[in-house]
Amino acid sequence: MSDRIALRGIAVTACHGVLDSEKVEPQPFRADIVLETDLRPAGESDDLARTISYAEIAQEAERVLTGPTVDLIETLAERIAAIALARPTVEAVEVTIHKPQAPAGVTFRDPVLDGPSVTVRREQDRPVVIALGANLGRDVAGTIDAAVAALRDTDGLTVVAVSSRFVTAPVGGPAGQPEYVNAVAIARTRLAPRTLLRRLHQIESWYGRTREIRWGPRTLDLDLIQVGDPRDDSDITSDTEELTLPHPRAHERGFVLLPWLDIDPAAVLRVGDGVRDVEELASDVGGAGVRPERGGTTSGPAS
């Protein structure tokens, strides 16, 4: 279960409702907001930048509640949920709008606290691209397949498709490395990028991954390539020591681009200030040193 930030009892007086009288006669409304997120980075660092400003969320919700008149409190709930989900680290949100003095034709026990309410729960649903690679161990292809299985077992992540396996000559790093086996998975997730990245590192650790030599041989490498969709500017960009998005070298790596095209011929990637077709990037890079593994299918698309 995700961590939570709760904002309860945001109270305003406003004019919302279907009846003509409700559009001119103010009445009380209350909003409760519960944000689901990963608070571990903030708790471990005591860094305000790593959490969510509940003050900003509360103030924006208040502006919705006191803003232009709407007929339905469902509309208010949806607008506040959208505000919350605009934060990249919010994984899900639950919004309850109370309308205690709604003209329902019945008597409620407490005219201040009771009465009709609407609750909506909305989750993030972002596309994500994950690259897999390995070149150490007795069964490298089996490690890739096992990593895919671990991704499928990840709560909050739904694997949509997995490419065939490709064999790749090592790029950079020490000489004399074995060839790599690579694949790409496309998924959808409600997880915040840092939360997903931590899960990828956990899966890597199960297979003895260490980070002692840059571009050195490894038992398993899971890279977060892209989160969101650049076509509608919903992709998340990040440039910190902990997380860089999109992956800074994906556009020049055939062992990422070719498996990606294998499952999404229309894929695009943000490169610098623009958005490029992955097919075009793969053509620029060329396929030298990258070839499909004979019989190299993974465990296939999610059922």
Side-chain angles (χ1 to χ4, degrees), residues 215-257:
W215 297 327
R218 60 207 65 181
T219 54
L220 181 62
D221 187 22
L222 301 178
D223 282 332
L224 193 53
I225 303 300
Q226 180 168 272
V227 178
D229 190 342
R231 280 169 286 217
D232 60 9
D233 289 328
S234 66
D235 56 319
I236 295 175
T237 59
S238 174
D239 187 13
T240 66
E241 183 177 350
E242 179 185 8
L243 175 65
T244 302
L245 282 173
H247 191 286
R249 291 174 296 279
H251 66 283
E252 59 190 27
R253 289 182 165 176
F255 59 84
V256 172
L257 302 173

Side-chain angles (χ1 to χ4, degrees), residues 6 46 69 98 103 115 137 185 194 199 238 264 269:
D46 198 29
T69 297
H98 302 267
R194 287 187 179 89
R199 172 62 172 174
S238 174
D264 186 4
L269 175 68

Side-chain angles (χ1 to χ4, degrees), residues 176-243:
Q177 293 187 56
E179 290 184 313
Y180 278 83
V181 175
N182 292 100
V184 164
I186 294 175
R188 300 196 70 89
T189 188
R190 63 172 172 79
L191 300 177
R194 287 187 179 89
T195 306
L196 180 55
L197 182 64
R198 189 165 63 245
R199 172 62 172 174
L200 299 186
H201 289 171
Q202 180 187 49
I203 296 171
E204 288 177 340
S205 71
W206 294 343
Y207 292 89
R209 167 69 190 272
T210 60
R211 287 176 164 77
E212 297 172 356
I213 302 175
R214 190 181 191 191
W215 297 327
R218 60 207 65 181
T219 54
L220 181 62
D221 187 22
L222 301 178
D223 282 332
L224 193 53
I225 303 300
Q226 180 168 272
V227 178
D229 190 342
R231 280 169 286 217
D232 60 9
D233 289 328
S234 66
D235 56 319
I236 295 175
T237 59
S238 174
D239 187 13
T240 66
E241 183 177 350
E242 179 185 8
L243 175 65

Side-chain angles (χ1 to χ4, degrees), residues 96-109:
T96 300
I97 304 295
H98 302 267
K99 187 177 181 181
Q101 295 183 11
V106 299
T107 300
F108 295 102
R109 179 187 59 184

